[in-house]
């Protein structure tokens, strides 16, 4: 039996398409760093060997696994949701901000700053059961398309990151999303598109309540913030939800700084990855400035901390998921 | 090949010690109900078949997996912890309640009601790093013993429930703890004693903060309540942490009522289990009254809801974990 296994492994190695766990990553020091890291923590003979139960990898979502321009997709969902909710019952549009959102007037809402965005989020994400909310997101994903690419949102996934998720799982890692986005929002599609099950999603959330309504036990989404899983919140979210420090963390913005800091400060081999959006032709180009996905401190301090700064234009031979 | 498997299964069935997945459960309708349920959801030919990813089982901890008398063990830890903290720095004992707790004067603290108990909990569980806290609990478990049985606390585990956890995992279930107890407290021992890893623990928690202290990324435990995972909080905790409705839930008190209600209201085969403490000889006997583990509504409504009410004295041939 053993000789047969050796033979198979040997034949696969002869075909680079099979042997390369990250085919959409161009040859680069970053690709080498990732593969070297995975090999060092999975080889029982390596001084950096990590037992499978401690192979925890955490990924930001917006801008790391899928796109986030011109606005987080969850905000774009909220605008569409308010349009539908407002059409059914105009009385719910109780402010100029909500009226603007229901008209799809993104500029006016964004001009209102953080308070206006939160108002839109709250209105689109509360006062309904978790089940009703899930159906709305699911329906939206099958019908809405991105204003610039015209792609369905759940096709604006990065093929190289999907390969990385799969590679890690094949090597015994448990993969998690740790995102500032809403936990309920991501759970609708994360298992289907990323292979990451509901229990492995850490995210922001509003309060929830349990009520028996007409005899039916129901989880209701409420309008007050419960947990904001961004910046310092990410290590806190990891600590609460996972209870172990990751050995690999990937993000793309300063909202991920503390997650990478916490992850890479642990003992033994650790890997921090920051995706830098450098590709205006195939995706978008932005980093130090803007209202979404600002990457500033990470660019300054990441290299000296040993984090891999992935240059999308240079390091990825393909951007979007293969259909 | 197939005939060999049949032969093995047949021979095992001839030896009850091998074939019985719950050897410490006496023959009873409850034992039969549990085994019938597990067989019905794991047999692909059964109309109640459930795919492995949806085989979620949630267990209360105090009074369900280990004892909870004369007081939740986490409170007993808090008293011991305050004694040590107070010996090192008496100035932290800022009230009569904390002074009483540090003296081990349980009666005075309990007489102070919920506020006094919360004050003791907060003092013993905040103002330190998560790491320091974990070490304290770990140290306590190796040294402290129960005032009545003189057993180490982590030997006051129910053998029949350990068998049930193992049986479920062997049958492809994912087992979780969903407890009113502290998530950090349980994570210290749950993997070792129950085989339930940190990420599968849902519990109550205080606020936490992420701080870089002298260059070291640190999770600090703060003194304000973050989430109380009891009663209506249990379905909310399950929804947030797991994101799927369990198909089996086990508890022992009215604090578990909503978890069982939510679980058994789902479609398809479901099982709710309540452990009733009826065994004053081998453990403790209590249900409708008291300050710990009150089971009243569950006794009234459980049977008509189809929940298995496990009578510890009658249904368990062994109580404590086999050493």
């Amino acid at each position: 039996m053993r000789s047969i296994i050796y033979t198979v492994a040997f034949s696969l190695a002869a075909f680079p398409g099979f042997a390369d766990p990250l085919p959409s990553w161009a040859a680069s020091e970053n690709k080498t760093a990732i593969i070297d890291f995975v090999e060092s923590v999975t080889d029982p003979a390596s001084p950096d060997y990590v037992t499978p139960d401690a192979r925890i990898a955490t990924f930001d979502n917006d801008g790391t696994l899928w796109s986030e321009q011109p606005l987080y997709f969850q905000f774009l969902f909220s605008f569409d949701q308010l349009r539908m909710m407002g059409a059914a019952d105009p009385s719910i549009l109780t402010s100029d901000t909500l009226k603007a959102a229901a008209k799809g007037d993104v500029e006016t809402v964004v001009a209102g700053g953080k308070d206006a965005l939160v108002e839109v989020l709250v209105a689109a994400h509360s006062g309904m059961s978790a089940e009703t909310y899930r159906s709305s997101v699911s329906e939206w994903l099958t019908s809405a398309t991105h204003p610039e690419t015209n792609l369905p949102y759940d096709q604006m996934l990065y093929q190289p990151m999907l390969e990385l998720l799969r590679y890690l799982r094949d090597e015994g890692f448990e993969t998690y999303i740790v995102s500032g986005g809403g936990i309920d929002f991501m759970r609708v599609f994360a298992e289907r598109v990323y292979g990451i099950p509901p229990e492995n999603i850490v995210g922001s959330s509003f309060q929830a309540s349990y009520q028996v309504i007409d005899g039916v036990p129901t989880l209701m989404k409420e309008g007050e913030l419960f947990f904001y899983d961004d910046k310092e919140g990410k290590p806190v979210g990891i600590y609460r939800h996972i209870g172990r420090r990751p050995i690999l963390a990937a993000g793309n913005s300063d909202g991920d700084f503390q997650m990478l800091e916490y992850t890479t400060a642990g003992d033994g081999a650790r890997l921090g990855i920051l995706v830098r959006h450098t590709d205006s032709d195939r995706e978008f180009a932005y980093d130090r400035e803007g209202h979404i996905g600002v990457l500033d401190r990470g660019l300054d301090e990441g290299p000296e901390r040993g984090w891999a700064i992935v240059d999308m234009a240079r390091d990825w031979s393909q951007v979007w998921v293969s259909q």
Side-chain angles (χ1 to χ4, degrees), chain A residues 9-75:
Chain A
F10 184 78
S11 349
L12 289 180
F15 296 90
F18 286 92
D20 184 351
L22 302 172
S24 299
W25 291 69
S28 71
E29 60 188 11
N30 287 325
K31 180 172 180 169
T32 304
I34 292 170
I35 293 175
D36 285 353
F37 170 79
V38 172
E39 291 183 348
S40 77
V41 299
T42 55
D43 175 3
S46 156
D48 292 323
Y49 178 72
V50 173
T51 52
D53 65 307
R55 290 182 205 156
I56 308 282
T58 55
F59 287 79
D60 171 56
N61 183 42
D62 298 304
T64 299
L65 298 179
W66 75 352
S67 286
E68 61 182 355
Q69 295 289 357
L71 208 56
Y72 297 128
F73 294 174
Q74 189 176 353
F75 280 108

Side-chain angles (χ1 to χ4, degrees), chain A residues 94-136:
Chain A
T94 51
S95 73
D96 289 346
T97 297
L98 296 182
K99 282 174 192 150
K103 277 187 225 151
D105 180 358
V106 176
E107 269 181 44
T108 297
V109 175
V110 170
K114 197 183 157 191
D115 285 353
L117 283 167
V118 169
E119 187 182 352
V120 168
L121 269 186
V122 168
H125 287 76
S126 62
M128 66 199 76
S129 73
E131 216 161 318
T132 299
Y133 174 78
R134 270 196 293 269
S135 302
S136 305

Side-chain angles (χ1 to χ4, degrees), chain A residues 32-276:
Chain A
T32 304
I34 292 170
I35 293 175
D36 285 353
F37 170 79
V38 172
E39 291 183 348
S40 77
V41 299
T42 55
D43 175 3
S46 156
D48 292 323
Y49 178 72
V50 173
T51 52
D53 65 307
R55 290 182 205 156
I56 308 282
T58 55
F59 287 79
D60 171 56
N61 183 42
D62 298 304
T64 299
L65 298 179
W66 75 352
S67 286
E68 61 182 355
Q69 295 289 357
L71 208 56
Y72 297 128
F73 294 174
Q74 189 176 353
F75 280 108
L76 299 176
F77 159 77
S78 301
F79 283 83
D80 288 346
Q81 180 74 356
L82 280 179
R83 182 169 44 76
M84 286 197 294
M85 290 164 71
D89 176 8
S91 74
I92 67 145
L93 304 173
T94 51
S95 73
D96 289 346
T97 297
L98 296 182
K99 282 174 192 150
K103 277 187 225 151
D105 180 358
V106 176
E107 269 181 44
T108 297
V109 175
V110 170
K114 197 183 157 191
D115 285 353
L117 283 167
V118 169
E119 187 182 352
V120 168
L121 269 186
V122 168
H125 287 76
S126 62
M128 66 199 76
S129 73
E131 216 161 318
T132 299
Y133 174 78
R134 270 196 293 269
S135 302
S136 305
V137 177
S138 189
E139 169 62 28
W140 179 78
L141 284 171
T142 61
S143 56
T145 54
H146 189 273
E148 297 182 36
T149 66
N150 286 319
L151 288 168
Y153 292 98
D154 58 6
Q155 289 180 24
M156 293 181 66
L157 318 170
Y158 306 134
Q159 175 67 20
M161 297 306 282
L162 298 182
E163 290 168 5
L164 178 54
L165 288 173
R166 262 183 238 120
Y167 174 41
L168 292 171
R169 289 195 293 260
D170 286 349
E171 296 294 334
F173 280 74
E174 196 70 24
T175 55
Y176 287 84
I177 289 178
V178 177
S179 166
I183 187 168
D184 283 0
F185 184 75
M186 294 183 284
R187 278 173 167 167
V188 176
F189 56 90
E191 185 154 33
R192 175 171 52 83
V193 306
Y194 303 133
I196 299 182
E199 61 271 24
N200 284 17
I201 312 290
V202 185
S204 297
S205 52
F206 289 111
Q207 293 281 359
S209 66
Y210 174 78
Q211 302 171 33
V212 180
I213 300 173
D214 296 333
V216 180
T218 305
L219 288 152
M220 289 295 293
K221 290 174 68 72
E222 308 293 346
E224 301 79 39
L225 185 69
F226 176 68
F227 180 60
Y228 185 43
D229 189 48
D230 200 34
K231 299 190 172 70
E232 288 82 4
K234 289 202 175 194
V236 173
I238 289 168
Y239 155 64
R240 281 222 189 87
H241 197 109
I242 308 176
R244 298 197 236 230
R245 196 194 300 236
I247 62 169
L248 181 155
N252 76 298
S253 80
D254 284 350
D256 302 309
F257 190 93
Q258 288 80 2
M259 174 168 75
L260 268 71
E261 178 181 59
Y262 173 61
T263 299
T264 58
D267 294 332
R270 305 274 163 164
L271 185 61
I273 299 172
L274 283 174
V275 174
R276 186 177 182 185

Side-chain angles (χ1 to χ4, degrees), chain A residues 63 67-70 146 148-149 156 158 252 275-295 299 310-314 316 319-320:
Chain A
S67 286
E68 61 182 355
Q69 295 289 357
H146 189 273
E148 297 182 36
T149 66
M156 293 181 66
Y158 306 134
N252 76 298
V275 174
R276 186 177 182 185
H277 293 264
T278 51
D279 197 328
S280 59
D281 289 338
R282 295 183 300 177
E283 206 245 3
F284 303 96
Y286 58 98
D287 44 39
R288 292 188 188 269
E289 285 173 14
H291 61 278
I292 293 284
V294 170
L295 178 64
L299 284 183
V310 172
D311 181 321
M312 195 181 266
R314 187 197 64 185
W316 289 359
V319 171
W320 305 121

